[in-house]
Each structure stands twice: as structure tokens, then as C-alpha cells.
């Protein structure tokens, strides 16, 4: 853009100091992840003694072996996949047609319906009424309850609706001439044109499902149905609340620290795999969602 | 038709008949129009209905259920059948030391988060904007956005591990300087710094995106003429970039203040323990313990309603102030 040579000495000092500070912040963001990864690959004895600083000490895969031998780990991983895939598909099934209908000018009561969606962004009944409602609906301890209970989100609808509204009418004219129905116009014209916006909404759903913890903990008592995050929480809470128990579990090869670090790594890896997409679409999504109404 | 004594004579009656006939025709026309519209556009309503029903069942029905804040709620009688008790639960709350403590903690933690957490992403965005080396900038951004996508359970797990007294890196490093190990997470005085620091660490990078986008929208001609005038980079950042993104900063501040009482209690539930309730327990964690764990649904719902009401007042006030002083507002 602008040539570096143009800068005075003061400018150069400023630019360099700035780079150093950003570099430090970046390292401080990255370090905890490296620490956890190294911990998961270290021997239990070294981890307990606090000898792990940057790289694995006494390299071993025992912690992973211990984690992977636990049936509850696998069932919770499977459940997280079910909630993530099922929940995201369910959300899209509601949100795409809903947002499309709300974007059509000929819809009767359009203002009212839009307001009804927007209001949920500003006011929630809160934790207790929501919980009691789920219980009254018989959705406690149910896969379906988790998947349907969090399917729709006002922010996502409005984001997609705004995107649909921005698509010029001329795109659909040819389809209209051929006598296409609304479903066909949505499917053949709007959805292909809205791939980035739909991808953004889908990624929002995927991340919130993958990371979802609180409501899964509250709504699911049955251990066989809990997702990975609730399982991880159980492991950490059980062991960290009880130092003696944690000590009794320790062997030379793995410890409470290395085992919980190994679970954390297993849970982070899928997020890292989709991270390039996340980065690409999330920043767009945030900006698209400069949502007022 | 009319029983009005003033309306007499055949002429008037004919007029009235005409008018009512016209009205009926028009009404019939409207019904017909709606019918035609539905026949033509029924597909749109088929698309809309699932979303509207979902909102009614999962979000609006709980709003109706919120009335238990004013009732002696029992599971067997249900929401509608439970007797009204007026403001009794609110009176109980304001006589409850735990609730008052939670209220105080909510305000203090929100305040710290605002003071320390709000300027960080702005600062980061300004600094990122000054980096000319594109690869360095991209790499740094990729890394600092990452924690936003990591679940709070894992972030809390990292904190618990790193601050553990025996194995944690923090105590290890303190040991190098001869400082005695501290069991941070059991010490009330350490909870708030750890919690606020963790939230900033997790979110500041990602939140900077909004400001970076605002900076990208600043007209380049401003910088060009400043360069001609011999302005330094520091001056341009301070005198051009910052004032240009001020509207965005104000909008974000309003949103932030409106959500102030929504302290990320999920993270608090993961990090606190009875030993630190003194400084860590906030209104939402209080609601969780009293309501969902303790079964006092009506009292907890009252606490939630109080929280929501205060939040509503906060966002309205912030919006009004912003409108008055800067002509920038949310609505």
C-alpha cells in the first residue's frame, strides 16, 4: 500500500513495537493449547510433578489409550456427532424456508412476523421457564429434545432473511416465467445464490452444537445420552474436586492431568479441522448480522 | 336496519341499504382477495408456519410461564393452576443474603469485564491495522480468533489444569521465583481476575473483527492527505482511524451494556466452587442452583425476571444516552 521508506524513524519504532506486542499476544493465545497438547503426551509422573512446560516430557500415549478404552468417551463422542449433525440439519430445515418466507414482500403480516422473530433476540423468558417448558413437553433426557429445542435462533433467521432480500428480483424472473412454485424458486434460484450465507448459518449451528454444554447438562440425566462436553466436565469435576481420588488414579504412565488433557485434545481436533471454513465464513457472518431489527 | 329515530323516510333507508350492500360487497371482496392470495401463495405460509410454531412453543410459551414468578408454583398444579402470591418471591429475594451477594457479584464482575474487556478488541484492531507484513498479520489473526470457537468446558479445563497447585504451569513458574504455590481456584480473591482474564483471552481477538471491518471502511483519501501533510502513523491512528470507527464503538458499547448482566455464567459454573461463591456466585448461577438444582422454581424465576428487567432498563438507558450525545443508536 504505502511504502515503508516513507516513514520517519519514529514511525518505524512504532511499527516494530506494535509487531512485538501483537506477537506476544498471539503467543499467549497459542501457548495454552500447546501446553495441553504436550501434557496429554507426557507421562503421568512428570505431569503431576509440574515438569511439563512446553514440549512433552517422558513421551507416552498412555493417556490416550486410557481415554479410548472408556466406553463413555465413545458414546459421548457419538452423541455429540448426533446432536451436531441432527441439530444443524434441523435448524436449516426450519431457518431456510422461514427466512425465505419472511423475505417475500407479498407475505401478509410480514412486519408482524418479522417483529415476532426479532423480539426473541431482545427478550428471553429465562432459564427456569424454558426448563419447565421442556419438562412439560416431555423433552427431558431425549435426543429429540436437544435437537428440536434449540433449532431456531432469531439471529440466524434475520441474517439469512437479509441475505435473501439482497438478491435482485431479476434472478427469479426466468424461473417465474416457467411457472415455478415458491418451493422451486427457493430451491433452484435462492439457495444456490445464497451458499455463503447458508454456509455461515450452518457453521454457526455446528459450532454451538459441538460446544454446547449447559443445556445438555441440565436436560440430560441419562449418562448414555450425554455429549462429549458434559462427559469432559464430569471427568474434570470428579477428579479435581477430590485430590485424593485423583492421586489414587495416578500411575506412572498417566495422571488426571494427562487424561483430561487428552480428552480436551480429542474434542478440539474436529474444530481445528473445520477451522479454515470457520474463519472464512464467521467474519462474514458477523458483519452480515449487522442486525438491527 | 337502523334503530336510530333520526333516520327516516324511504330515501334514507335506500341509502343505508346501498351503503351496507357496498360494505358487504367490499368485505366479500376482501375475503375473496385473501382467499385468492392464499390459493396463490399458500406455499409461503407452509414455509413460515414451522418457524412460527417453533417460536410459539419454545420461546413464547415460556414467557407465559414466567408468571410463576408471582405464584406459589407447584408441579402438580401447573403454571395456570398455582395460586397467586403477588410480590412475595421478590420480597424473599431481597431479604436473601445469597441473592444480594449474587447481585453484587454480577455488577462487579460485569463492571470489570466492561472496563478491561471492552477496550481490548478495539486496541487489537487498531494494532492489527498497523501491521504491514501481510503473512504475519494473517497468521496472528488466525491464532487469536481460535479460542472463540473452543467450548467453555475446554477453556475451563485449561484454566483448572494451568492453575492447579501441584501440576499447573502457573505455580511451576511461580516456584522458579521462590513463590509458594497458591491453590488459585479455591481462593475467593483470585476468582474475578482469573475469570475476567480468561474471558478477555478467549474473546478479545474475535471481537476485534467488527472493528477491523469498520477500519476497512475508512476512506483512504483521509490517510493520503494526512501523509501529504506529514502525519506520523501514530497521529493517523489517533486522529483518523479512531474517530472514524467511533460510531461502531458506541454501538458495540450499547450492546455490551445491554448484555452486561448476562455474565457468561456457563464459564462461572465450570470454574467456581463453594469456597469461591463469595466472589463468584452471580445471579444466573444463583438461579441455576436454587431453581434447577434446588427445585425452587418460582423464586428462581422471580430472580430471572428481575435480572431481565434490569437488563432491559440498562439497554434502553444506554441507547437514549447514545442518541442524545452522538446521534448513533441501535434503533
Amino acid at each position: 500500500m504505502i511504502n515503508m521508506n516513507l516513514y520517519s524513524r519514529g514511525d518505524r519504532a512504532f511499527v516494530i513495537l506494535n509487531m512485538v506486542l501483537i506477537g506476544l499476544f498471539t503467543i499467549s493465545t497459542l501457548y495454552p493449547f500447546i501446553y495441553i497438547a504436550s501434557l496429554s503426551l507426557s507421562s503421568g509422573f512428570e505431569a503431576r510433578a509440574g515438569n511439563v512446560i512446553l514440549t512433552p516430557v517422558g513421551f507416552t500415549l498412555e493417556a490416550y489409550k486410557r481415554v479410548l478404552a472408556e466406553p463413555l468417551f465413545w458414546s459421548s463422542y457419538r452423541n455429540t456427532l448426533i446432536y451436531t449433525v441432527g441439530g444443524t440439519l434441523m435448524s436449516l430445515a426450519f431457518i431456510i424456508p422461514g427466512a425465505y418466507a419472511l423475505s417475500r414482500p407479498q407475505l401478509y403480516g410480514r412486519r408482524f412476523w418479522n417483529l415476532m422473530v426479532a423480539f426473541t433476540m431482545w427478550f428471553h423468558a429465562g432459564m427456569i421457564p424454558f426448563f419447565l417448558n421442556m419438562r412439560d413437553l416431555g423433552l427431558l433426557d431425549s435426543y429429540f429434545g436437544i435437537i428440536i429445542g434449540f433449532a431456531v435462533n432469531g439471529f440466524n433467521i434475520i441474517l439469512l432473511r437479509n441475505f435473501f432480500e439482497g438478491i435482485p428480483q431479476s434472478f427469479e424472473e426466468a424461473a417465474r416465467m416457467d411457472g415455478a412454485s415458491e418451493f422451486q424458486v427457493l430451491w433452484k434460484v435462492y439457495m444456490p445464490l445464497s451458499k455463503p450465507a447458508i454456509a455461515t448459518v450452518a457453521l454457526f449451528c455446528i459450532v454451538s452444537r459441538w460446544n454446547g454444554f449447559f443445556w445438555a447438562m441440565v436436560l440430560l440425566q441419562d449418562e448414555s445420552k450425554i455429549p462429549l462436553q458434559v462427559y469432559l466436565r464430569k471427568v474434570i469435576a470428579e477428579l479435581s474436586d477430590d485430590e485424593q481420588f485423583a492421586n489414587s488414579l495416578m500411575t506412572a504412565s498417566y495422571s488426571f492431568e494427562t487424561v483430561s488433557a487428552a480428552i480436551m485434545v480429542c474434542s478440539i481436533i474436529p474444530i481445528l479441522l473445520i477451522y479454515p471454513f470457520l474463519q472464512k465464513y464467521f467474519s462474514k457472518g458477523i458483519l452480515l448480522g449487522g442486525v438491527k431489527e | 336496519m337502523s334503530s336510530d329515530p333520526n333516520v327516516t323516510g324511504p330515501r334514507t333507508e335506500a341509502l343505508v341499504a346501498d351503503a351496507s350492500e357496498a360494505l358487504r360487497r367490499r368485505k366479500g371482496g376482501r375475503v375473496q382477495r385473501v382467499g385468492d392470495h392464499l390459493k396463490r401463495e399458500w406455499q409461503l405460509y407452509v414455509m413460515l408456519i414451522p418457524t412460527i410454531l417453533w417460536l410459539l412453543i419454545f420461546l413464547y410459551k415460556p414467557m407465559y410461564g414466567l408468571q410463576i414468578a408471582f405464584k406459589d408454583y407447584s408441579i402438580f398444579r401447573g403454571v395456570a393452576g398455582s395460586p397467586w402470591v403477588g410480590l412475595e418471591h421478590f420480597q424473599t429475594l431481597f431479604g436473601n443474603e445469597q441473592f444480594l451477594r449474587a447481585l453484587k457479584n454480577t455488577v462487579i464482575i460485569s463492571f470489570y469485564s466492561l472496563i478491561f474487556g471492552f477496550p481490548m478488541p478495539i486496541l487489537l484492531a487498531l494494532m492489527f491495522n498497523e501491521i504491514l507484513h501481510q503473512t504475519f498479520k494473517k497468521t496472528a489473526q488466525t491464532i487469536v480468533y481460535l479460542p472463540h470457537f473452543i467450548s467453555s468446558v475446554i477453556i475451563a479445563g485449561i484454566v483448572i489444569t494451568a492453575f492447579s497447585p501441584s501440576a499447573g504451569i502457573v505455580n511451576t513458574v511461580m516456584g522458579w521465583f521462590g513463590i509458594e504455590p497458591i491453590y488459585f481456584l479455591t481462593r475467593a480473591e483470585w476468582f474475578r481476575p482469573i475469570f475476567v482474564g480468561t474471558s478477555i483471552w478467549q474473546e478479545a481477538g474475535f471481537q476485534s473483527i467488527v472493528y477491523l471491518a469498520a477500519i476497512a471502511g475508512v476512506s483512504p483519501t483521509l490517510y493520503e492527505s494526512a501523509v501529504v501533510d506529514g502525519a506520523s502513523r501514530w497521529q493517523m491512528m489517533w486522529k483518523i482511524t479512531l474517530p472514524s470507527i467511533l460510531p461502531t464503538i458506541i454501538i458495540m458499547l450499547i450492546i455490551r451494556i445491554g448484555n452486561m448482566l448476562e455474565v457468561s455464567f456457563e464459564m462461572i459454573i465450570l470454574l467456581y466452587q463453594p469456597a469461591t461463591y463469595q466472589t463468584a456466585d452471580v445471579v444466573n448461577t444463583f438461579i441455576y442452583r436454587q431453581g434447577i438444582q434446588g427445585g425452587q422454581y418460582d423464586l428462581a424465576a422471580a430472580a430471572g425476571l428481575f435480572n431481565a428487567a434490569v437488563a432491559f432498563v440498562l439497554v434502553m438507558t444506554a441507547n437514549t444516552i447514545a442518541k442524545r450525545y452522538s446521534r448513533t443508536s441501535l434503533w
Side-chain angles (χ1 to χ4, degrees), chain B residues 204-221:
Chain B
F206 193 70
Q207 286 167 352
S208 71
I209 291 178
V210 178
Y211 300 107
L212 278 168
I215 292 173
V218 180
S219 160
T221 54

PDB file of all heavy atoms in Angstrom, chain B residues 204-221:
ATOM      1  N   ALA B 204     -11.278 -11.485  23.045  1.00  0.00           N
ATOM      2  CA  ALA B 204     -10.806 -10.192  22.523  1.00  0.00           C
ATOM      3  C   ALA B 204     -10.423 -10.277  21.055  1.00  0.00           C
ATOM      4  O   ALA B 204     -10.803  -9.428  20.250  1.00  0.00           O
ATOM      5  CB  ALA B 204      -9.635  -9.681  23.352  1.00  0.00           C
ATOM      6  N   GLY B 205      -9.700 -11.325  20.678  1.00  0.00           N
ATOM      7  CA  GLY B 205      -9.253 -11.457  19.299  1.00  0.00           C
ATOM      8  C   GLY B 205     -10.425 -11.476  18.342  1.00  0.00           C
ATOM      9  O   GLY B 205     -10.473 -10.720  17.371  1.00  0.00           O
ATOM     10  N   PHE B 206     -11.391 -12.323  18.650  1.00  0.00           N
ATOM     11  CA  PHE B 206     -12.518 -12.472  17.741  1.00  0.00           C
ATOM     12  C   PHE B 206     -13.355 -11.198  17.664  1.00  0.00           C
ATOM     13  O   PHE B 206     -13.828 -10.815  16.599  1.00  0.00           O
ATOM     14  CB  PHE B 206     -13.386 -13.653  18.179  1.00  0.00           C
ATOM     15  CG  PHE B 206     -14.370 -14.054  17.143  1.00  0.00           C
ATOM     16  CD1 PHE B 206     -13.953 -14.658  15.976  1.00  0.00           C
ATOM     17  CD2 PHE B 206     -15.718 -13.811  17.315  1.00  0.00           C
ATOM     18  CE1 PHE B 206     -14.851 -15.020  14.998  1.00  0.00           C
ATOM     19  CE2 PHE B 206     -16.635 -14.170  16.339  1.00  0.00           C
ATOM     20  CZ  PHE B 206     -16.198 -14.774  15.180  1.00  0.00           C
ATOM     21  N   GLN B 207     -13.532 -10.550  18.810  1.00  0.00           N
ATOM     22  CA  GLN B 207     -14.345  -9.327  18.812  1.00  0.00           C
ATOM     23  C   GLN B 207     -13.701  -8.218  18.002  1.00  0.00           C
ATOM     24  O   GLN B 207     -14.362  -7.277  17.581  1.00  0.00           O
ATOM     25  CB  GLN B 207     -14.581  -8.857  20.253  1.00  0.00           C
ATOM     26  CG  GLN B 207     -15.584  -9.739  20.984  1.00  0.00           C
ATOM     27  CD  GLN B 207     -15.592  -9.482  22.470  1.00  0.00           C
ATOM     28  OE1 GLN B 207     -14.751  -8.744  22.990  1.00  0.00           O
ATOM     29  NE2 GLN B 207     -16.532 -10.101  23.172  1.00  0.00           N
ATOM     30  N   SER B 208     -12.382  -8.311  17.775  1.00  0.00           N
ATOM     31  CA  SER B 208     -11.712  -7.248  17.020  1.00  0.00           C
ATOM     32  C   SER B 208     -12.169  -7.230  15.562  1.00  0.00           C
ATOM     33  O   SER B 208     -11.997  -6.231  14.874  1.00  0.00           O
ATOM     34  CB  SER B 208     -10.192  -7.415  17.106  1.00  0.00           C
ATOM     35  OG  SER B 208      -9.775  -8.530  16.358  1.00  0.00           O
ATOM     36  N   ILE B 209     -12.771  -8.343  15.089  1.00  0.00           N
ATOM     37  CA  ILE B 209     -13.212  -8.413  13.684  1.00  0.00           C
ATOM     38  C   ILE B 209     -14.152  -7.260  13.332  1.00  0.00           C
ATOM     39  O   ILE B 209     -14.024  -6.634  12.285  1.00  0.00           O
ATOM     40  CB  ILE B 209     -13.928  -9.761  13.410  1.00  0.00           C
ATOM     41  CG1 ILE B 209     -12.910 -10.896  13.465  1.00  0.00           C
ATOM     42  CG2 ILE B 209     -14.618  -9.750  12.054  1.00  0.00           C
ATOM     43  CD1 ILE B 209     -13.528 -12.269  13.254  1.00  0.00           C
ATOM     44  N   VAL B 210     -15.086  -6.986  14.242  1.00  0.00           N
ATOM     45  CA  VAL B 210     -16.066  -5.935  13.972  1.00  0.00           C
ATOM     46  C   VAL B 210     -15.363  -4.595  13.740  1.00  0.00           C
ATOM     47  O   VAL B 210     -15.696  -3.852  12.810  1.00  0.00           O
ATOM     48  CB  VAL B 210     -17.044  -5.812  15.158  1.00  0.00           C
ATOM     49  CG1 VAL B 210     -18.029  -4.693  14.916  1.00  0.00           C
ATOM     50  CG2 VAL B 210     -17.776  -7.122  15.370  1.00  0.00           C
ATOM     51  N   TYR B 211     -14.364  -4.318  14.584  1.00  0.00           N
ATOM     52  CA  TYR B 211     -13.665  -3.038  14.462  1.00  0.00           C
ATOM     53  C   TYR B 211     -12.767  -3.016  13.231  1.00  0.00           C
ATOM     54  O   TYR B 211     -12.612  -1.984  12.588  1.00  0.00           O
ATOM     55  CB  TYR B 211     -12.855  -2.752  15.723  1.00  0.00           C
ATOM     56  CG  TYR B 211     -13.730  -2.696  16.951  1.00  0.00           C
ATOM     57  CD1 TYR B 211     -13.714  -3.712  17.895  1.00  0.00           C
ATOM     58  CD2 TYR B 211     -14.604  -1.633  17.151  1.00  0.00           C
ATOM     59  CE1 TYR B 211     -14.528  -3.678  19.007  1.00  0.00           C
ATOM     60  CE2 TYR B 211     -15.431  -1.585  18.256  1.00  0.00           C
ATOM     61  CZ  TYR B 211     -15.387  -2.614  19.183  1.00  0.00           C
ATOM     62  OH  TYR B 211     -16.202  -2.571  20.267  1.00  0.00           O
ATOM     63  N   LEU B 212     -12.170  -4.174  12.912  1.00  0.00           N
ATOM     64  CA  LEU B 212     -11.336  -4.234  11.706  1.00  0.00           C
ATOM     65  C   LEU B 212     -12.178  -3.936  10.471  1.00  0.00           C
ATOM     66  O   LEU B 212     -11.725  -3.251   9.549  1.00  0.00           O
ATOM     67  CB  LEU B 212     -10.683  -5.608  11.585  1.00  0.00           C
ATOM     68  CG  LEU B 212      -9.410  -5.781  12.423  1.00  0.00           C
ATOM     69  CD1 LEU B 212      -9.006  -7.236  12.480  1.00  0.00           C
ATOM     70  CD2 LEU B 212      -8.281  -4.941  11.835  1.00  0.00           C
ATOM     71  N   ALA B 213     -13.417  -4.444  10.469  1.00  0.00           N
ATOM     72  CA  ALA B 213     -14.297  -4.177   9.330  1.00  0.00           C
ATOM     73  C   ALA B 213     -14.607  -2.686   9.254  1.00  0.00           C
ATOM     74  O   ALA B 213     -14.622  -2.100   8.169  1.00  0.00           O
ATOM     75  CB  ALA B 213     -15.583  -4.975   9.467  1.00  0.00           C
ATOM     76  N   ALA B 214     -14.830  -2.069  10.418  1.00  0.00           N
ATOM     77  CA  ALA B 214     -15.108  -0.628  10.434  1.00  0.00           C
ATOM     78  C   ALA B 214     -13.894   0.143   9.920  1.00  0.00           C
ATOM     79  O   ALA B 214     -14.024   1.103   9.150  1.00  0.00           O
ATOM     80  CB  ALA B 214     -15.473  -0.182  11.844  1.00  0.00           C
ATOM     81  N   ILE B 215     -12.704  -0.304  10.332  1.00  0.00           N
ATOM     82  CA  ILE B 215     -11.484   0.376   9.882  1.00  0.00           C
ATOM     83  C   ILE B 215     -11.333   0.240   8.374  1.00  0.00           C
ATOM     84  O   ILE B 215     -10.943   1.191   7.685  1.00  0.00           O
ATOM     85  CB  ILE B 215     -10.244  -0.197  10.608  1.00  0.00           C
ATOM     86  CG1 ILE B 215     -10.282   0.185  12.096  1.00  0.00           C
ATOM     87  CG2 ILE B 215      -8.955   0.314   9.969  1.00  0.00           C
ATOM     88  CD1 ILE B 215      -9.200  -0.459  12.926  1.00  0.00           C
ATOM     89  N   ALA B 216     -11.685  -0.934   7.851  1.00  0.00           N
ATOM     90  CA  ALA B 216     -11.564  -1.150   6.408  1.00  0.00           C
ATOM     91  C   ALA B 216     -12.466  -0.201   5.632  1.00  0.00           C
ATOM     92  O   ALA B 216     -12.212   0.099   4.468  1.00  0.00           O
ATOM     93  CB  ALA B 216     -11.912  -2.598   6.069  1.00  0.00           C
ATOM     94  N   GLY B 217     -13.516   0.299   6.300  1.00  0.00           N
ATOM     95  CA  GLY B 217     -14.441   1.190   5.619  1.00  0.00           C
ATOM     96  C   GLY B 217     -14.026   2.656   5.634  1.00  0.00           C
ATOM     97  O   GLY B 217     -14.677   3.491   5.025  1.00  0.00           O
ATOM     98  N   VAL B 218     -12.929   2.964   6.342  1.00  0.00           N
ATOM     99  CA  VAL B 218     -12.485   4.365   6.400  1.00  0.00           C
ATOM    100  C   VAL B 218     -11.909   4.772   5.049  1.00  0.00           C
ATOM    101  O   VAL B 218     -11.131   4.027   4.454  1.00  0.00           O
ATOM    102  CB  VAL B 218     -11.416   4.548   7.498  1.00  0.00           C
ATOM    103  CG1 VAL B 218     -10.954   5.986   7.548  1.00  0.00           C
ATOM    104  CG2 VAL B 218     -11.968   4.115   8.852  1.00  0.00           C
ATOM    105  N   SER B 219     -12.304   5.930   4.564  1.00  0.00           N
ATOM    106  CA  SER B 219     -11.879   6.371   3.236  1.00  0.00           C
ATOM    107  C   SER B 219     -10.363   6.552   3.164  1.00  0.00           C
ATOM    108  O   SER B 219      -9.774   7.264   3.976  1.00  0.00           O
ATOM    109  CB  SER B 219     -12.572   7.689   2.904  1.00  0.00           C
ATOM    110  OG  SER B 219     -11.867   8.344   1.893  1.00  0.00           O
ATOM    111  N   PRO B 220      -9.696   5.932   2.175  1.00  0.00           N
ATOM    112  CA  PRO B 220      -8.239   6.026   2.050  1.00  0.00           C
ATOM    113  C   PRO B 220      -7.764   7.458   1.790  1.00  0.00           C
ATOM    114  O   PRO B 220      -6.624   7.795   2.130  1.00  0.00           O
ATOM    115  CB  PRO B 220      -7.911   5.134   0.848  1.00  0.00           C
ATOM    116  CG  PRO B 220      -9.147   4.385   0.527  1.00  0.00           C
ATOM    117  CD  PRO B 220     -10.296   5.108   1.132  1.00  0.00           C
ATOM    118  N   THR B 221      -8.638   8.281   1.208  1.00  0.00           N
ATOM    119  CA  THR B 221      -8.197   9.653   0.899  1.00  0.00           C
ATOM    120  C   THR B 221      -7.808  10.410   2.166  1.00  0.00           C
ATOM    121  O   THR B 221      -6.925  11.251   2.141  1.00  0.00           O
ATOM    122  CB  THR B 221      -9.308  10.434   0.171  1.00  0.00           C
ATOM    123  OG1 THR B 221     -10.490  10.347   0.967  1.00  0.00           O
ATOM    124  CG2 THR B 221      -9.583   9.860  -1.198  1.00  0.00           C
TER     125      THR B 221
END
